[in-house]
Amino acid sequence: MMRVSKKAARRHQGFIDSHTHAYPTECAADPVGWAKARGEHHWAQLVGPRADCKRTLQGFATRDQMLRAMDDAGIECSVLLGWYWEKQETCRWHNLEMAKWKRASPNRFSIFASVQPLAGKIVLDDLKCAQDAGFSGIGEVFPAAQGFAMDNPVWEKVLAWAAAEKLPVNMHVPEAAGRDYPGFIGAPLRDYQRLARTHPKVAFIFAHWGGLLPFLTLHPTVRRDLQNVYYDTAASPLLYDTRVYRTVVDAVGAERILFGTDYPLRVFPREQQEPDFNRPLHEVKKSGLTKKELALVLGGNARKLLGL
């Protein structure tokens, strides 16, 4: 009788991380220099030296390193999100790199495409190519950082295409209140409400707990406008205390929450020398959610949304 290793057994429990990133070696070797050379000044701010001289929160991992970390935590599949790059050339490069990870480990990664609507109609051509390459969604997108308005005509066409193709769209949503940090850009939550209302056939994922937009669903109009929205938990330990899990689930239901870590970001900087999945998983497991709720948040919802 063939024995299954403990790591393999944990992997098949079905944990899915719905919010991770992949930055290939070309970028990771000199992130600031790489970003400046490509005109990606916002990302250079995020990963550059900190004013307080503390180590940057941004970590990096090769595909093999990430797979080992996934196995160690029992993560069956990770969603590799694109980034809200300022240049479409960078979006195209990043999409090609993530496609390589997907081809090498097809059952371990789901991939979302980067887009920059300011590039014009070529964006739709790139998205169609990405879909042919196995991409299953769009994002992470952040209009305020990328310099386009929510009603940009190309962006409107992208969303109409996503709705027709049934591809979810991940939106970066900054916290509405809190501390400042290098590269922080705010955005009105009302803009996201309007976006969801205007495109009711798009399955949106509002990242980082949607900037706590779920709490505003106590208002009946907001609740109605956001019926097509999911919320991921990415970077939660950096933003909110653990009560956020119970309170958001009570506000919108466990069926609307997707577990995400923002790996390889070091979301527990005092504890992590290198990024990992174990600490974020431990946090959500100890958050007070029921077994049924945990099953949905840690994999069930993502499986249904992404067809995994």
Side-chain angles (χ1 to χ4, degrees):
M1 179 178 178
M2 183 177 68
R3 293 186 177 182
V4 179
S5 70
K6 291 182 179 180
K7 288 183 179 180
R10 288 201 305 270
R11 190 171 70 213
H12 290 291
Q13 289 178 1
F15 297 153
I16 296 173
D17 191 329
S18 296
H19 189 128
T20 70
H21 295 281
Y23 303 110
T25 305
E26 176 186 349
C27 167
D30 179 15
V32 175
W34 175 90
K36 289 182 177 179
R38 287 180 174 267
E40 299 292 348
H41 302 294
H42 178 245
W43 201 71
Q45 282 186 293
L46 292 174
V47 301
R50 291 170 48 145
D52 58 10
C53 297
K54 292 183 179 179
R55 184 184 176 194
T56 177
L57 299 178
Q58 185 60 61
F60 297 94
T62 65
R63 181 178 61 85
D64 287 343
Q65 287 172 330
M66 185 171 182
L67 287 171
R68 285 196 296 270
M70 288 167 61
D71 285 344
D72 185 60
I75 302 291
E76 181 180 344
C77 180
S78 287
V79 179
L80 298 176
L81 296 181
W83 188 256
Y84 34 95
W85 301 112
E86 297 171 70
K87 307 292 184 182
Q88 181 62 20
E89 294 81 5
T90 315
C91 292
R92 188 179 298 120
W93 168 83
H94 200 189
N95 292 344
L96 290 171
E97 291 297 319
M98 287 196 296
K100 293 178 184 177
W101 285 40
K102 172 72 172 176
R103 286 195 299 271
S105 304
N107 297 322
R108 305 304 303 278
F109 297 117
S110 178
I111 47 181
F112 278 34
S114 301
V115 297
Q116 170 50 291
L118 292 180
K121 62 181 182 180
I122 192 174
V123 171
L124 282 168
D125 294 333
D126 283 356
L127 279 176
K128 291 172 184 176
C129 289
Q131 185 185 35
D132 291 341
F135 283 70
S136 55
I138 298 169
E140 193 173 356
V141 180
F142 188 17
Q146 294 179 274
F148 68 89
M150 288 283 195
D151 61 354
N152 174 285
V154 174
W155 176 232
E156 293 278 338
K157 290 180 180 178
V158 166
L159 292 174
W161 181 79
E165 298 298 321
K166 296 182 170 25
L167 295 178
V169 178
N170 185 296
M171 303 292 300
H172 177 89
V173 187
E175 58 272 28
R179 64 180 177 82
D180 291 329
Y181 54 83
F184 176 79
I185 297 174
L189 294 181
R190 188 177 290 267
D191 287 352
Y192 290 89
Q193 176 190 350
R194 187 180 302 112
L195 180 72
R197 181 181 68 242
T198 307
H199 299 276
K201 294 184 179 180
V202 176
F204 286 105
I205 303 168
F206 285 179
H208 315 294
W209 294 109
L212 297 187
L213 190 56
F215 293 156
L216 298 182
T217 59
L218 294 174
H219 190 295
T221 300
V222 179
R223 184 166 60 249
R224 182 179 65 248
D225 288 347
L226 300 182
Q227 292 182 62
N228 54 325
V229 176
Y230 295 79
Y231 305 91
D232 78 33
T233 71
S236 186
L238 293 173
L239 302 172
Y240 311 112
D241 69 42
T242 54
R243 289 175 293 176
V244 70
Y245 291 92
R246 180 74 268 160
T247 50
V248 174
V249 166
D250 287 344
V252 300
E255 299 81 5
R256 308 272 290 282
I257 311 301
L258 304 171
F259 172 70
T261 61
D262 222 343
Y263 182 95
L265 199 68
R266 294 186 306 113
V267 295
F268 288 92
R270 294 181 180 180
E271 303 173 29
Q272 293 173 304
Q273 289 300 311
E274 300 298 333
D276 67 61
F277 297 93
N278 283 304
R279 289 169 180 81
L281 266 173
H282 178 75
E283 182 182 76
V284 67
K285 289 177 180 179
K286 298 298 182 181
S287 64
L289 300 186
T290 67
K291 288 184 177 180
K292 182 178 179 180
E293 290 167 339
L294 284 172
L296 292 171
V297 172
L298 290 174
N301 295 333
R303 285 184 183 282
K304 183 176 179 180
L305 178 62
L306 302 176
L308 297 174

